[in-house]
Amino acid sequence: MKLTLKVWRQKNSDDKGKIETYNVDNISEHMSFLEMMDVLNEQLIAEGKEPVAFDHDCREGICGMCSMFINGEPHGPGKGITTCQLHMRSFNDGDTIYIEPFRSRGFPVIKDLIVDRSAFDRIQQAGGYISINTSGNTIDANATPIPKDDADKAFDAATCIGCGACVATCKNSSAMLFISAKVSQLALLPQGKVEAKERVLAMVEQMDKEGFGNCSNTGACEVECPKGISLENIARLNREFLDASITSDK
Amino acid sequence: MSKELNSKVPTGQLKDLWTAHKDHIGLVNPANRRNIDIIVVGTGLAGGSASASLAEMGYNVKAFCFQDSPRRAHSIAAQGGINAAKNYQNDGDSVYRLFYDTEKGGDYRSREENTYRLAEVSANIIDQCVAQGVPFAREYGGLLDNRSFGGVQVSRTFYAKGQTGQQLLLGAYSAMNRQIAKGKITMYNRHEMLELVVVDGKARGIIARNLVTGKLERHSAHAVVLGTGGYGNVFFLSTNAMGSNASAAWRAHKKGAYFANPCYTQIHPTCIPRSGDYQSKLTLMSESLRNDGRIWVPKNMEDAVAIREGRLKPTDIKPEDRDYYLERRYPAFGNLVPRDVASRAAKERCDAGYGVNKTGEAVYLDFSSAIMRYGKEQANLHHEYDASDDRIRELGEKIVEAKYGNLFQMYEKIVDQNPYKTPMMIYPAVHYTMGGLWVDYNLMTTIDGCYCIGEANFSDHGANRLGASALMQGLADGYFVLPYTIGDYLQHEIRTGKISTETPEFDEAEKNVKERLEFFINNKGTKSVDHFHRLLGKIMWDNVGMARNEAGLKEAIVEIKRIREEFYKDVFVPGEMNEMNPELEKATRVADFMELAELFAVDALHRTESCGGHFREESQTEEGEALRDDKNFAYVAAWEWTGNPGEAVLHKEKLEFKGIELKQRSYK
């Protein structure tokens, strides 16, 4: 395959940045999108130019590090995949592909396609945990049976990889799918119920501080989420938040 | 200045050692812990759990990871599960049996006291993780579910679908977050350790590079903990993440930490075969698939050729024309033999010409039997006693989907084939390294105050790791072992006070790092870092991979040196030092791999026996199984750096076994 790539280049966070055009040849349909980017970078290095900086690590769709906006979609075309799982068979010979970083006020660009997602860490630090020490002196793991349905729902929410596609695709730059995943996981489990109210209030407060918008139910996040995190979690987040706002002592 | 090995294993009955050791080990009182700083490098299961635990105890922790968040460490990609001797399934499991299986699975090349302790604390891990909100798989009664893994005859593996590593890591990450919020952990994301600073024989800090600004930073502490994972990427292609590297451990090695058993590498049997030269990494399919998948190749050569040429499909081959070679060779364990055995058996069939993809390097992993078996069970449950085959298949596929859905989906995304309808293709790939920095019973390396935990150390898995034991070890070390044992060293540090970074040792360390980085920037060669990394990986895979022999290893040593020289002569690193520069990051990592690779081959050459993942063709039974030489090789090979990887000095820690009788491993 021959492709034309329109890639966002930005030297650092102070640079204005612009789209550059590159051509690549001999791209196999079995390559992953990132392997295609490797080919481009090898080509740039051979020409003595600076390669395109992009985040990536596990290359199997679980670490959440890769983060490109490809032809107007986070992680590109295809459902339920990250950029590293996108294969070139999704494109045609002669295509022009636009590659940009995730865009949001909460995710400033560091370089080229790399953005700063530390806002997500700070939201988790605000309350995305159960306050127990790791002494091992807890009760036996089977002492508290958990209905399978609750455990399965908690698991489904917990599969969020924190990539930020939900924010990147949302017209409001809302991080509510991300937050609702953690709030739901812990609210569905008896272990997490103890602090559920404080948790939801603290996480939402931090979300607002980071400059993320609110949810207006367009549902783009659910469509683009590589892990298929359900919009139901946002509904649960809203219920938890409302309940906590009215009944919490804080 | 060589140092004798002292494993500091306490004396006494194996089953009481850890308890007795904890009872008598030195402690630091809570008021003093506030004045002690600990650096933890790496935030995977080992580093993340250690950071959280140490901070909870009151120490000041500085944690480092090269990724943009601690949650992205490669532990996240572990799929199948975590072992624990809970005996919830009432199938006769116990601490001793878990110890026994781990020791035997490791082909009797690990320190039995460490392995026993691992088995002992395993049950606590599950309690801890459930309390943290880790959503393990459950049965309809609400209790935890288990599955079985290779090399054992009980069901002791806890799991969260195919994302167990992710869920456990997010548990450790959440425990870290709680401490970061309190200010007890200072988190340094996008930072890479490039040097260990040793002052008067003690580890006192690190030089780290801020990967965003490119600036070098000095960080001091009373102890340094390395939880930096394995060195599988020395092979270029492996299931490790792209950024996984050995630099932290290698830097410590060059400062005096002995490197143990570098040749013990795990080649995982169930990975997706490579598709072309552009391949950047390999993807693992969880070993849990071997619970229900049957591995086969065609019995007849004509069929194998026809499949490779696309004239036949696997579903065209009749059951009697299939060679289920693991079931044939190992009737007792069948498809659930340990990883090293399964990998070699696949290589044997493919080398003999029975491979099933274009490259000839693939075997089938087939779920059709399991789908029909589950389907029948479901039909009975639904009272559909005369269900058609199609209906049974439909019901069975649902069960298989519930168990392995995400793995099947992952496979389909990569290979573009539906594994419910046609068998998966798999082939072995480098996955885990059992070798690592030598540590004593307290997990301290041969540098005082420098600890090593998780995959980065050598201690618990011998020459082969059993499935679902890596997660167990990472969390055991970080949550339950290191937090106790580190006190034994730190009790002597309560009067030390803050450690200055304005000392000649820090000056020297930073200067060395700076010179190394400047070299790469100024080298202006003609070839990329990846070019050399691929060359290194090829020689490692061909000569130091699944089967090794004297001639091949000697050739590898010569080749590695040659590639290393070429690398320094001709590598081109674009960009600058004081900016974000991913190529420069790669260059320093690959430079360290170039040295480690040589020590790896030297170790493999010296160990003329076969054991676990280390298979020397000269040492095998008549049936082609690995043949150990306990008389000459029942020791840990700990290598001391003397200025050149080829001239490392060998120190031996003799392995003595009191709790287990050494046997030739058999899974027949």
Side-chain angles (χ1 to χ4, degrees):
Chain A
M1 267 189 246
K2 264 189 189 164
L3 299 166
T4 304
L5 306 174
K6 304 264 186 188
V7 185
W8 182 260
R9 300 301 308 256
Q10 181 174 342
K11 189 135 186 66
N12 52 47
S13 54
D14 300 327
D15 185 24
K16 206 168 148 226
K18 60 170 193 281
I19 296 266
E20 296 272 2
T21 306
Y22 304 104
N23 295 303
V24 286
D25 202 350
N26 287 325
I27 299 298
S28 153
E29 74 215 47
H30 297 299
M31 277 182 193
S32 73
F33 195 83
L34 295 186
E35 284 166 348
M36 186 276 293
M37 292 299 289
D38 292 341
V39 170
L40 168 65
N41 277 346
E42 285 284 317
Q43 191 177 310
L44 291 172
I45 292 169
E47 292 166 10
K49 293 180 187 156
E50 247 201 273
V52 180
F54 60 89
D55 265 332
H56 65 111
D57 200 26
C58 79
R59 294 207 178 186
E60 48 187 272
I62 191 72
C63 75
M65 191 112 172
C66 61
S67 58
M68 297 172 193
F69 212 68
I70 301 162
N71 284 346
E73 279 185 89
H75 301 301
K79 292 256 177 302
I81 50 170
T82 54
T83 298
C84 64
Q85 292 174 301
L86 174 64
H87 279 72
M88 297 314 292
R89 62 181 82 96
S90 305
F91 299 90
N92 299 311
D93 189 27
D95 275 2
T96 298
I97 306 174
Y98 284 83
I99 309 169
E100 297 167 86
F102 281 3
R103 303 256 184 222
S104 160
R105 186 158 47 151
F107 292 164
V109 173
I110 296 175
K111 181 172 186 171
D112 296 342
L113 304 170
I114 295 181
V115 297
D116 177 359
R117 286 169 289 188
S118 53
F120 271 16
D121 281 336
R122 289 189 293 274
I123 291 170
Q124 294 291 344
Q125 287 154 18
Y129 49 78
I130 292 173
S131 300
I132 51 146
N133 276 358
T134 53
S135 63
N137 297 322
T138 54
I139 53 170
D140 185 86
N142 260 351
T144 314
I146 301 176
K148 184 168 166 48
D149 194 39
D150 288 350
D152 286 349
K153 277 194 188 128
F155 170 81
D156 287 342
T159 56
C160 165
I161 57 173
C163 65
C166 47
V167 170
T169 195
C170 178
K171 61 181 174 144
N172 309 322
S173 275
S174 170
M176 278 175 70
L177 192 67
F178 170 75
I179 292 149
S180 72
K182 187 49 87 179
V183 164
S184 289
Q185 176 203 342
L186 298 180
L188 282 160
L189 298 171
Q191 292 84 357
K193 282 220 165 71
V194 182
E195 299 166 281
K197 289 179 187 175
E198 292 78 9
R199 177 179 307 117
V200 67
L201 295 176
M203 289 182 81
V204 169
E205 189 188 337
Q206 188 65 34
M207 168 189 100
D208 291 340
K209 268 191 212 158
E210 298 289 351
F212 293 111
N214 282 310
C215 173
S216 50
N217 278 317
T218 40
C221 53
E222 185 187 40
V223 175
E224 294 296 348
C225 174
K227 297 295 146 182
I229 304 291
S230 161
L231 216 51
E232 278 175 33
N233 291 301
I234 295 186
R236 191 177 293 106
L237 169 68
N238 286 332
R239 285 201 300 276
E240 291 281 327
F241 182 78
L242 180 63
D243 179 15
S245 305
I246 296 166
T247 63
S248 169
D249 298 335
K250 290 191 180 148
Chain B
M1 211 178 45
S2 104
K3 193 165 172 176
E4 280 317 299
L5 294 174
N6 177 4
S7 64
K8 294 192 189 145
V9 172
T11 49
Q13 285 288 316
L14 191 55
K15 66 179 175 52
D16 305 323
L17 283 186
W18 176 231
T19 310
H21 189 62
K22 281 196 292 183
D23 286 346
H24 297 103
I25 206 166
L27 295 175
V28 180
N29 96 26
N32 284 328
R33 288 181 215 145
R34 281 180 230 134
N35 302 319
I36 290 184
D37 303 327
I38 302 174
I39 285 172
V40 181
V41 187
T43 59
L45 286 180
S49 60
S51 295
S53 302
L54 294 168
E56 283 164 12
M57 292 169 80
Y59 296 110
N60 305 310
V61 175
K62 291 177 169 184
F64 293 80
C65 69
F66 70 79
Q67 300 92 340
D68 74 333
S69 163
R71 67 179 292 156
R72 311 220 192 274
H74 198 54
S75 303
I76 200 135
Q79 299 168 354
I82 177 165
N83 288 328
K86 278 287 199 186
N87 194 28
Y88 282 161
Q89 304 305 322
N90 198 25
D91 51 6
D93 200 10
S94 64
V95 168
Y96 182 82
R97 278 185 192 276
L98 175 52
F99 153 73
Y100 178 93
D101 288 342
T102 310
E103 193 65 41
K104 176 187 170 193
D107 222 353
Y108 309 92
R109 288 292 174 265
S110 54
R111 189 190 287 146
E112 70 169 358
E113 295 85 356
N114 285 57
T115 309
Y116 194 91
R117 174 175 66 190
L118 175 66
E120 205 175 333
V121 302
S122 67
N124 262 345
I125 298 173
I126 304 303
D127 298 343
Q128 180 66 45
C129 292
V130 167
Q132 273 173 352
V134 171
F136 284 119
R138 286 177 185 269
E139 295 168 345
Y140 283 100
L143 301 186
L144 294 162
D145 193 15
N146 291 112
R147 52 166 68 140
S148 184
F149 255 61
V152 308
Q153 290 179 309
V154 295
S155 280
R156 64 160 73 98
T157 305
F158 294 79
Y159 67 100
K161 275 203 185 161
Q163 290 112 300
T164 317
Q166 181 197 26
Q167 294 310 316
L168 294 174
L169 184 65
L170 293 181
Y173 167 70
S174 74
M176 278 184 86
N177 281 335
R178 178 167 164 246
Q179 299 305 318
I180 295 172
K182 285 182 183 171
K184 288 307 292 180
I185 296 178
T186 311
M187 188 63 227
Y188 295 87
N189 297 337
R190 293 197 196 268
H191 275 66
E192 180 154 25
M193 168 181 159
L194 290 177
E195 194 58 279
L196 179 74
V197 182
V198 179
V199 181
D200 297 332
K202 292 175 172 174
R204 288 303 197 196
I206 63 170
I207 304 295
R209 182 162 174 267
N210 178 329
L211 301 181
V212 176
T213 64
K215 298 262 167 15
L216 295 180
E217 296 174 3
R218 302 175 180 197
H219 294 276
S220 68
H222 297 83
V224 175
V225 180
L226 305 179
T228 48
Y231 48 90
N233 272 347
V234 71
F235 287 87
F236 185 70
L237 284 182
S238 82
T239 66
N240 286 5
M242 300 302 285
S244 300
N245 69 84
S247 286
W250 192 251
R251 290 287 133 196
H253 173 58
K254 292 179 83 166
K255 287 285 172 101
Y258 295 178
F259 208 107
N261 302 332
C263 78
Y264 292 167
T265 321
Q266 181 159 81
I267 316 270
H268 196 290
T270 53
C271 301
I272 299 177
R274 36 179 264 147
S275 67
D277 293 333
Y278 47 79
Q279 193 103 21
S280 60
K281 77 153 274 162
L282 297 167
T283 303
L284 177 121
M285 304 302 295
S286 167
E287 175 174 334
S288 63
L289 294 171
R290 287 198 275 145
N291 268 302
D292 284 315
R294 298 177 69 196
I295 296 175
W296 63 276
V297 291
K299 209 178 258 176
N300 305 316
M301 184 63 81
E302 321 70 274
D303 290 347
V305 174
I307 284 179
R308 281 202 293 273
E309 290 171 358
R311 285 182 283 117
L312 274 181
K313 285 198 291 255
T315 41
D316 298 334
I317 311 287
K318 288 194 218 90
E320 59 271 25
D321 291 331
R322 300 174 178 192
D323 177 13
Y324 294 95
Y325 56 88
L326 286 176
E327 296 169 29
R328 167 170 61 78
R329 287 178 66 180
Y330 309 100
F333 281 72
N335 292 298
L336 284 174
V337 291
R339 293 174 175 177
D340 54 337
V341 178
S343 292
R344 277 197 295 276
K347 179 176 159 45
E348 190 275 328
R349 283 292 82 193
C350 291
D351 287 352
Y354 293 92
V356 295
N357 73 350
K358 280 197 187 104
T359 64
E361 292 193 328
V363 299
Y364 288 127
L365 177 64
D366 194 337
F367 291 86
S368 52
S369 308
I371 287 171
M372 295 310 279
R373 188 176 76 241
Y374 287 125
K376 268 187 201 125
E377 209 175 279
Q378 287 300 306
N380 286 340
L381 283 170
H382 291 96
H383 307 295
E384 296 177 27
Y385 301 112
D386 43 10
S388 67
D389 277 1
D390 284 347
R391 173 65 181 153
I392 289 173
R393 190 168 296 120
E394 184 193 333
L395 290 166
E397 281 177 3
K398 272 193 196 137
I399 299 296
V400 168
E401 188 185 350
K403 289 183 122 175
Y404 312 110
N406 69 311
L407 298 172
F408 276 50
Q409 191 193 26
M410 189 162 94
Y411 180 86
E412 190 167 354
K413 298 242 156 81
I414 295 175
V415 184
D416 206 20
Q417 286 181 2
N418 180 350
Y420 294 98
K421 307 291 177 203
T422 183
M424 283 184 184
M425 285 183 291
I426 54 165
Y427 198 67
V430 174
H431 174 56
Y432 186 90
T433 51
M434 281 73 68
L437 292 184
W438 184 90
V439 290
D440 63 18
Y441 190 66
N442 288 337
L443 304 179
M444 190 157 86
T445 66
T446 48
I447 300 173
D448 284 348
C450 178
Y451 289 79
C452 189
I453 57 178
E455 186 181 352
N457 77 24
F458 87 103
S459 74
D460 293 3
H461 307 297
N464 174 54
R465 179 176 64 73
L466 288 182
S469 285
L471 303 185
M472 173 170 70
Q473 189 215 345
L475 290 181
D477 285 358
Y479 281 143
F480 303 132
V481 180
L482 182 78
Y484 286 102
T485 58
I486 204 168
D488 198 49
Y489 174 79
L490 292 174
Q491 63 172 328
H492 306 297
E493 294 290 335
I494 57 177
R495 290 183 196 85
T496 308
K498 216 59 199 154
I499 291 163
S500 169
T501 54
E502 299 306 319
T503 61
E505 289 86 354
F506 273 95
D507 291 345
E508 174 76 16
E510 185 179 327
K511 190 172 138 259
N512 288 344
V513 172
K514 196 160 168 263
E515 282 170 7
R516 249 162 55 213
L517 297 175
E518 278 168 353
F519 169 83
F520 288 119
I521 294 294
N522 298 329
N523 198 44
K524 308 288 181 217
T526 62
K527 299 202 173 69
S528 70
V529 177
D530 278 358
H531 167 81
F532 294 101
H533 197 178
R534 277 178 209 272
L535 289 179
L536 178 70
K538 183 161 182 354
I539 189 80
M540 290 301 288
W541 180 248
D542 289 345
N543 293 27
V544 202
M546 260 189 287
R548 304 157 179 179
N549 61 51
E550 188 181 333
L553 290 167
K554 284 185 172 158
E555 182 190 79
I557 292 170
V558 174
E559 278 296 295
I560 292 164
K561 279 189 196 150
R562 190 185 61 77
I563 297 168
R564 192 165 67 220
E565 277 168 24
E566 292 264 306
F567 170 72
Y568 279 103
K569 242 186 258 164
D570 200 22
V571 71
F572 171 59
V573 177
E576 300 299 324
M577 216 173 100
N578 288 324
E579 62 173 2
M580 179 175 256
N581 189 339
E583 285 297 310
L584 183 59
E585 294 164 28
K586 281 200 250 175
T588 57
R589 293 168 190 165
V590 170
D592 289 334
F593 280 137
M594 292 275 178
E595 293 180 352
L596 193 156
E598 188 178 343
L599 182 66
F600 189 134
V602 166
D603 185 45
L605 180 64
H606 114 281
R607 192 171 283 274
T608 53
E609 67 162 352
S610 293
C611 57
H614 171 62
F615 189 73
R616 280 292 297 262
E617 287 168 356
E618 300 91 335
S619 181
Q620 51 182 312
T621 64
E622 277 174 17
E623 293 143 318
E625 305 294 338
L627 184 64
R628 279 199 332 270
D629 176 359
D630 291 330
K631 196 160 144 265
N632 293 305
F633 286 101
Y635 63 78
V636 175
W639 298 91
E640 180 188 2
W641 175 261
T642 58
N644 188 328
E647 288 156 18
V649 173
L650 174 64
H651 298 263
K652 296 176 183 177
E653 180 196 344
K654 197 167 180 318
L655 291 169
E656 284 167 285
F657 299 94
K658 296 185 204 98
I660 187 167
E661 185 197 343
L662 269 71
K663 285 188 199 152
Q664 194 60 38
R665 224 164 39 136
S666 169
Y667 292 94
K668 291 188 185 282

